[in-house]
Amino acid sequence: MTVYLDHAATTPMRPEAVEAMLPYFTGRFGNASGSHAVAREARKALDEARDIVADCLGARPGEIVFTGGGTEADNLAIVGRHTAQPGTAVCTAVEHHAVLHACGALSESRVVPVTADGVVDLDALTGMLDPSVTVVSVMLANNEVGAIQPLAEVSDAVRAAAPDAVLHTDAVQAFSWLDVARLGAAADLVAVSAHKFGGPKGVGALVVREGVDVEPIIHGGGQERDRRSGTYNVAGIVGMAAAMQSTVAGRAATVERVAALRDRLADGLLAAIPDGSETGDRANKIAGNCHLCFEGVESESLLVLLDGAGVCAAAGSACQSGAIEPSHVLTAMGVPAERAMGALRLSLGSTTTEADVDLALEVIPPAVERLRRAS
Ligand code: PLP
């Protein structure tokens, strides 16, 4: 039996999404930009998907820009905004590298510190805002520790101190758990990625609110009203819409069920393993996140042992797996390096079961003990 506790890295496809996509790999293969019957069929599917995605994100259909995933949506928001309105970019220290590195690639950027719980320091943010700032990026929920950011307060601070700035939020990890249509309303730009909520990989969306000036970062045939060129990934977009719809329909119930599973997992591990600590404030996290640190253990060795015992987990963000440096998120939260090196991220999802938690509780404590004895 394999217990998959790495939903923050990617999620299994929802059956509704697979089913919705299949016809677009076979008979309905048209290029949605064309004008004949086969193309029109693809265009109709694209338009319907756009309406669904807009509805699920609290946006108008014309405000949706389909992208090739979350990384591209974040880059379009930050680099595209900077190109339209050159100036200073501001982001938090716990952003995903898609945001951190996009900001870092610009001529001028500032990084806002976070509290010990991974929440943006609002005073420090205010201190970094001035009229030169043209884009501010604060994620809705963090991919490593699950911390939820106070977007409405961030928005108030930005509107007050940086009149030319737009607020971007990376809602890639949030969508499965939070009402992004409501919470994301505070932002001008909102990025999501289908594979984090049961849709296919390589497709995402950026909400660009009406009147917000963003230049394209990919130039070509002028699709997406010239905001993102490239032949439409109709199957992917249709799959994303189906996954969004089913995520939203079941979200409240899933959050309640998974939060209870997460609590049982976190409490069980902390009770069974001495010298373990939980990262962040559980009351201010997305339901699927369980992040613990075990002193005297190296994450990478623990992951290998857990993998051998059938448990798929992560140390930091997926793209950092294998790196020996402590994660930038934990460092920004002030977690000491000895503790951060023993980080374990268990991320639950809508398909996680009681049996998964039982097996994780059986396997993880002896694995930690074995590594501690060996060191
Ligand atoms: N932003 C966050 C918070 C993420 O967790 C990820 C993926 O790990 C991304 C952006 C990148 O999304 P994608 O994998 O679709 O490029």
Side-chain angles (χ1 to χ4, degrees), residues 197 265 339:
F197 51 84
L265 179 61
R339 185 132 54 92

Side-chain angles (χ1 to χ4, degrees), residues 43-314:
R43 165 61 65 174
K44 184 166 174 283
L46 181 70
D47 291 345
E48 284 168 10
R50 191 186 302 282
D51 288 347
I52 293 168
V53 169
D55 189 44
C56 292
L57 293 175
R60 296 189 195 126
E63 295 175 325
I64 301 298
V65 180
F66 291 122
T67 67
T71 301
E72 188 193 319
D74 283 334
N75 274 265
L76 174 58
I78 290 157
V79 180
R81 173 59 185 167
H82 181 80
T83 309
Q85 182 92 42
T88 305
V90 174
C91 73
T92 80
V94 295
E95 297 299 311
H96 188 271
H97 284 136
V99 167
L100 267 180
H101 291 175
C103 287
L106 304 179
S107 48
E108 175 94 33
S109 63
R110 299 171 188 162
V111 178
V112 187
V114 296
T115 65
D117 287 333
V119 174
V120 60
D121 178 335
L122 283 168
D123 290 336
L125 170 69
T126 304
M128 286 186 188
L129 296 172
D130 62 45
S132 77
V133 177
T134 54
V135 60
V136 176
S137 190
V138 176
M139 71 204 317
L140 194 45
N142 183 265
N143 46 302
E144 282 187 45
V145 301
I148 300 169
Q149 302 294 346
L151 214 58
E153 276 129 294
V154 168
S155 170
D156 289 345
V158 172
R159 313 282 173 228
D164 284 342
V166 296
L167 175 60
H168 167 58
T169 194
D170 174 337
V172 168
Q173 291 290 338
F175 191 81
S176 285
W177 313 107
L178 304 176
D179 182 356
V180 173
R182 184 172 61 80
L183 297 169
D188 303 295
L189 303 163
V190 181
V192 290
S193 172
H195 75 102
K196 306 290 186 177
F197 51 84
K201 292 166 186 61
V203 56
L206 182 70
V207 174
V208 180
R209 304 246 184 250
E210 210 173 289
V212 172
D213 202 7
V214 172
E215 283 291 309
I217 56 170
I218 296 177
H219 303 270
Q223 287 88 346
E224 292 299 76
R225 295 204 273 152
D226 223 4
R227 293 173 298 185
R228 199 279 189 182
S229 288
T231 299
Y232 285 106
N233 174 5
V234 178
I237 290 167
V238 164
M240 173 163 70
M244 268 195 166
Q245 223 167 11
S246 99
T247 299
V248 170
R251 192 157 53 196
T254 301
V255 166
E256 199 180 321
R257 191 182 70 79
V258 173
L261 287 176
R262 186 269 315 273
D263 290 349
R264 186 160 80 79
L265 179 61
D267 292 340
L269 291 175
L270 289 169
I273 306 172
D275 295 326
S277 56
E278 186 169 7
T279 316
D281 171 12
R282 206 189 291 177
N284 185 47
K285 278 182 179 231
I286 48 174
N289 180 276
C290 172
H291 192 286
L292 307 171
C293 292
F294 301 112
E295 267 179 63
V297 167
E298 268 195 4
S299 306
E300 293 307 314
S301 312
L302 181 58
L303 293 184
V304 172
L305 277 190
L306 296 185
D307 188 26
V311 174
C312 302

